[in-house]
Amino acid sequence: MSLSIIGNGFIGGFVSNKLNFLGIKHFLYTSKSFNLCDENTWKSLSTKTTQVFIAAGSMSSDENELQSVNHRPIKLLCKYLEDIGVKKVVFLSSGAVYGDYPYDTHPVIECKPSSIYGLSKLNAENSLLSSWGGALNIVRLYFTYGPHQKKPRLIPNLIDRIQKKEPILINNDGGPKITLNHVDDVSQHLINTFIVNNHETIIQNLASPFNISIKDLATQLATYIGTKPIFKFNNINEPNHTSLPFPDMWPKSGLLEDIFHAL
């Protein structure tokens, strides 16, 4: 296996560090050395590459940017990867593709994204499924937290709002509920289950059993900080983002201790 990781952000960078620790050689490409939106940079990809982990993507609130980065390059990228001899793609997607479900999601149910981000990821998945001829692992992540995480990701954003005494939007029932995952657990399963072993075409949720409402999470975070959160009820209930747990994906320590140690 000759592995290339496209994207050295929060997930891609952590996976790369763990691969280095395990002694697994790979190439890591930043957004400057391999830009999904710039075909000229694709030539930087090693021609020895047989497997690609696509961890790059946008979390922008701008619809055009989301589609331009997360979706539109995929078909051309598939052709380029096939031309240089790549045999397998692992694609980092999101549980946001499911949309609003009152129960834990799983890959068998219909995807009905309720956000432009979720739609951009689902469009990318569909492009991969229709354009890629080799092995394909689509991995749908939920809310991941860990070392050096920054806004706009959920946990740093909540802590920032609590400390600044800014209101946190919640549903009437305290939701939405979310599934939380530590990046160390996520990266370990990405490597063991998908990058190293699985050479079939599959779609899989990667999620822990940690489901919690935004109200409960913010309250516990505020208590840990030594203050109280301010809540504001949403006019429109936000959908839950929870999943059936991935086998053996158990957190290593208590949630709050884990979060603050990670940050």
Side-chain angles (χ1 to χ4, degrees):
M1 174 186 71
S2 180
L3 170 67
S4 289
I5 300 175
I6 298 174
N8 72 326
F10 181 52
I11 304 294
F14 210 96
V15 168
S16 177
N17 289 338
K18 190 168 283 289
L19 287 169
N20 287 332
F21 178 78
L22 295 171
I24 299 175
K25 293 182 179 180
H26 62 284
F27 301 95
L28 177 63
Y29 295 87
T30 68
S31 58
K32 290 183 178 179
S33 59
F34 192 106
N35 187 332
L36 288 174
C37 301
D38 184 358
E39 295 174 49
N40 293 322
T41 65
W42 298 357
K43 297 175 184 178
S44 66
L45 195 70
S46 170
T47 54
K48 296 179 180 179
T49 300
T50 58
Q51 181 178 166
V52 169
F53 172 39
I54 303 177
S58 173
M59 297 179 67
S60 170
S61 58
D62 180 78
E63 183 174 6
N64 185 59
E65 180 180 336
L66 284 171
Q67 296 294 348
S68 295
V69 176
N70 294 348
H71 169 225
R72 291 182 191 132
I74 294 298
K75 284 190 177 181
L76 280 177
L77 179 60
C78 285
K79 184 179 185 308
Y80 181 79
L81 295 179
E82 285 184 347
D83 287 345
I84 66 171
V86 173
K87 304 299 181 186
K88 176 183 174 182
V89 168
V90 179
F91 178 71
L92 205 59
S93 189
S94 168
V97 300
Y98 293 110
D100 189 359
Y101 277 93
Y103 48 81
D104 293 346
T105 54
H106 52 87
V108 176
I109 66 175
E110 181 184 0
C111 291
K112 298 181 289 186
S114 55
S115 68
I116 55 176
Y117 172 72
L119 179 61
S120 72
K121 283 295 189 180
L122 182 60
N123 286 341
E125 289 186 12
N126 289 334
S127 289
L128 280 164
L129 289 166
S130 63
S131 304
W132 179 247
L136 173 62
N137 292 181
I138 294 174
V139 186
R140 293 170 177 167
L141 287 187
Y142 289 74
F143 289 87
T144 306
Y145 66 94
H148 313 301
Q149 198 176 40
K150 300 177 182 178
K151 294 193 303 181
R153 291 187 179 270
L154 175 68
I155 299 297
N157 190 51
L158 280 178
I159 292 173
D160 185 62
R161 296 189 75 83
I162 290 168
Q163 291 175 330
K164 291 180 178 178
K165 303 292 185 182
E166 295 177 351
I168 296 167
L169 287 176
I170 59 172
N171 298 341
N172 291 331
D173 63 356
K177 287 187 176 181
I178 60 171
T179 296
L180 282 174
N181 311 279
H182 193 283
V183 67
D184 187 62
D185 299 318
V186 167
S187 60
Q188 189 66 59
H189 282 284
L190 279 169
I191 293 169
N192 292 347
T193 306
F194 303 102
I195 292 174
V196 173
N197 290 316
N198 203 307
H199 301 290
E200 301 175 353
T201 294
I202 60 169
I203 300 175
Q204 179 67 59
N205 290 358
L206 190 53
S208 79
F210 252 149
N211 292 344
I212 190 170
S213 71
I214 293 295
K215 182 179 181 181
D216 287 345
L217 176 59
T219 300
Q220 292 183 43
L221 289 171
T223 300
Y224 199 93
I225 293 170
T227 185
K228 291 184 178 181
I230 299 171
F231 294 112
K232 181 179 179 181
F233 290 110
N234 226 331
N235 293 327
I236 301 174
N237 277 354
E238 290 293 323
N240 293 329
H241 294 285
T242 60
S243 171
L244 292 176
F246 189 79
D248 300 322
M249 192 164 172
W250 294 95
K252 295 179 175 60
S253 59
L255 177 61
L256 285 179
E257 292 82 356
D258 223 10
I259 287 175
F260 280 93
H261 177 71
L263 297 175

